[in-house]
Amino acid sequence: MNSHDAIVIGAGQSGLAAAHALVAQGLRPLVLEAGDEPVGSWPHYYDSLTLFSPARYSALPGLKFPGDPERYPRRDEVAAYLRAYAAHLDTDIRTGHRVAEVVRDNDFRVTTTNGSSFTAPVVIAATGGFGNPHRPVLPGLDDFPGTVLHAARYRSPAPFHGQRVVVVGAGNSAVQIAAELAEQAHVTLATRKPVKFSAQRPFGRDLHFWLDRTRVDHLPIGPWLPGGFTTPVLDTGRYRAALDQHRPDRRPMFTALEGSKVIWPDERRDHVDAIVLATGYRPDLPYLRGLGTEHHRGVSRRHPGLGFVGLEWQRSLSSATLRGVGRDAAHVVRRLLKRTENS
């Protein structure tokens, strides 16, 4: 059994930010990654995915995002940046190590599915909030004979050419995917509430400039910034115009599926070939089932030395983003080290 200063579970943006924060405190962490490379979920997102934050606000601590700082990076650019960031870190990253379980003795013992076992006084769960696609319970969905896939598995509109498609969701990904699909298919965006838009470049500057300048992006969750609200779709005007032109059209969420037909609230029925669920994700933390996942701003309430990085609304508006995860990681590492020193 190998002992380490700290163990980070996951080598996506959250795990790399956590490793950087630990190294900055003089520790030499071990990073365990289930996949083949330290890039998280980024290579698996849809082909056209483009960040809504400029490169200037899309970097992790210690390494600038290359190129024009005002441009909006694409999916593959983010993956390449994370590869470079991992190479830049002076730490031990082991890919192909999926964590099966974490238990607490005097220290934490971390076991992987390939039978390896490691111990450390500090463990940070950094598999984030995007590893577990959420499939909602919708009447008739399990019996739908057409294609059903989550946005996590959507790649491009090509397989849906000429089809009748319903995209479920009202967030950035839902609107982006629906608008792209509408160029090749007959698409409806099904939402429980009307889509809310926010200007991507108010007063000629990107929204993230204003979030940073006003410090809203840095505010911890609390009375002045309650967590959990639905963030609006960032838009230069393109997506609002697409919905106004009914490409895609937007309808209230359907009430049920009956065979290959969706039943709308006005009782109209439409044949549908495919349903894309842009319904978000849930935390991917099955290895903590024995310890529990209750935390306060990323620090376990029950187990000194156990922390979390990358969960949505963990500490701030930007906790699950490239621009914000580094701040959270530094905060969590400081708190963990203080608690382990005092325990």
Side-chain angles (χ1 to χ4, degrees), residues 46-130:
Y46 51 98
D47 297 346
S48 65
L49 185 146
T50 302
L51 293 186
F52 287 93
S53 56
R56 182 189 303 278
Y57 300 102
S58 302
L60 297 177
L63 186 66
K64 291 183 178 180
F65 208 107
D68 180 359
E70 298 305 321
R71 81 185 196 286
Y72 296 92
R74 302 288 294 268
R75 176 199 69 182
D76 292 346
E77 293 179 89
V78 178
Y81 170 77
L82 292 177
R83 292 186 191 101
Y85 194 90
H88 170 77
L89 280 175
D90 181 21
T91 196
D92 184 2
I93 301 175
R94 303 189 192 183
T95 57
H97 282 64
R98 180 177 296 278
V99 171
E101 186 179 32
V102 180
V103 298
R104 181 91 188 265
D105 298 321
N106 291 325
D107 286 341
F108 294 98
R109 177 161 47 87
V110 179
T111 305
T112 65
T113 55
N114 62 14
S116 300
S117 189
F118 310 91
T119 62
V122 171
V123 167
I124 296 179
T127 42
F130 299 98

Side-chain angles (χ1 to χ4, degrees), residues 16 37 69 106 118 122-123 131 142 146 172 176 183 199 225 264 269 271 287 294 320 331:
L16 296 178
E37 54 179 344
N106 291 325
F118 310 91
V122 171
V123 167
D142 290 343
N172 282 299
Q176 197 174 74
E183 296 175 4
L225 184 66
W264 301 105
R269 298 168 182 246
H271 169 81
Y287 47 85
E294 185 182 3
H331 168 82

Side-chain angles (χ1 to χ4, degrees), residues 182-259:
E183 296 175 4
Q184 298 196 30
H186 177 198
V187 183
T188 293
L189 182 67
T191 70
R192 298 195 183 280
K193 296 179 180 180
V195 178
K196 294 182 179 180
F197 291 98
S198 178
Q200 189 165 353
R201 299 187 64 84
F203 306 107
R205 301 296 296 265
D206 184 85
L207 177 64
H208 296 86
F209 167 84
W210 301 111
L211 290 173
D212 184 59
R213 182 61 60 92
T214 60
R215 309 299 289 178
V216 170
D217 221 21
H218 302 248
L219 286 175
I221 299 300
W224 299 105
L225 184 66
F229 60 82
T230 301
T231 54
V233 174
L234 296 184
D235 188 21
T236 59
R238 171 191 173 189
Y239 297 117
R240 189 190 295 271
L243 285 173
D244 287 345
Q245 296 165 12
H246 305 288
R247 295 178 55 84
D249 70 335
R250 204 284 302 181
R251 300 188 194 179
M253 183 64 189
F254 55 82
T255 58
L257 291 157
E258 191 175 86

